[in-house]
Amino acid sequence: MKSTLQAGLYYEFKFTVPENKTVPYLYPESEEFQAMPKVLATGFMVGLFEWACIKAINPHLDWPNEQTVGTDVKLSHIAATPSGLTVTVKLRLEQIEGKRLIFHLEGHDGIDLISEGTHERFIINAAKFNEKVNRKSKVESITG
């Protein structure tokens, strides 16, 4: 982590919602999702907010050796966004506690506030993290 990573960091990220980020595409094998409206899926919205946080802080990390993983999400989803609209994610890095980063986020689709809340990420050493995941995968393949 570089000394430039400081609480108060502000960032905006824009993303135009394509049809393949709507509810029916979240789990295509789900019959229930297939019957739902083609609006931005909450699952994809959470991913969009995570992406915005990653974009905001990567210049302040030793990327790609240092990366971040999401560990907590507390977001509302208060308005539907059809494909074609552009979501603007605004974020502020509220706190840094060691390797723990806490963000305040909000999203707007040009018509409505669609979401507001907090997101927590942890800075990881990518090689060590991937090594641990690989060990876990090997255990699962032996026991599964």
Side-chain angles (χ1 to χ4, degrees):
M1 171 173 53
K2 299 176 184 175
S3 62
T4 57
L5 186 62
Q6 299 288 321
L9 172 73
Y10 177 82
Y11 190 78
E12 279 191 30
F13 185 66
K14 293 182 183 289
F15 181 75
T16 301
V17 178
E19 186 176 333
N20 70 359
K21 297 297 183 256
T22 62
V23 177
Y25 292 87
L26 187 59
Y27 279 97
E29 60 274 33
S30 165
E31 182 180 319
E32 295 81 4
F33 281 170
Q34 296 309 303
M36 294 181 75
K38 289 186 178 179
V39 295
L40 177 64
T42 302
F44 287 129
M45 184 192 76
V46 169
L48 175 62
F49 281 39
E50 286 196 275
W51 186 17
C53 290
I54 291 167
K55 297 280 286 177
I57 60 175
N58 270 2
H60 306 281
L61 300 177
D62 178 23
W63 174 266
N65 299 318
E66 286 182 315
Q67 296 180 19
T68 60
V69 292
T71 54
D72 189 57
V73 177
K74 292 181 178 85
L75 296 170
S76 62
H77 194 175
I78 55 176
T81 303
S83 60
L85 293 185
T86 298
V87 173
T88 301
V89 179
K90 296 179 180 182
L91 66 87
R92 187 175 56 255
L93 178 56
E94 294 288 322
Q95 276 182 284
I96 302 173
E97 298 174 356
K99 294 184 177 201
R100 181 176 175 236
L101 311 174
I102 302 169
F103 298 86
H104 177 267
L105 301 123
E106 59 183 58
H108 199 285
D109 66 12
I111 298 169
D112 293 310
L113 177 71
I114 66 164
S115 179
E116 186 172 15
T118 61
H119 178 46
E120 177 183 280
R121 301 188 70 75
F122 269 83
I123 299 171
I124 60 159
N125 174 297
K128 287 181 182 178
F129 186 88
N130 290 332
E131 183 180 307
K132 186 175 179 180
V133 170
N134 287 338
R135 281 196 311 268
K136 191 173 185 177
S137 288
K138 289 177 185 173
V139 169
E140 174 58 28
S141 67
I142 292 169
T143 62

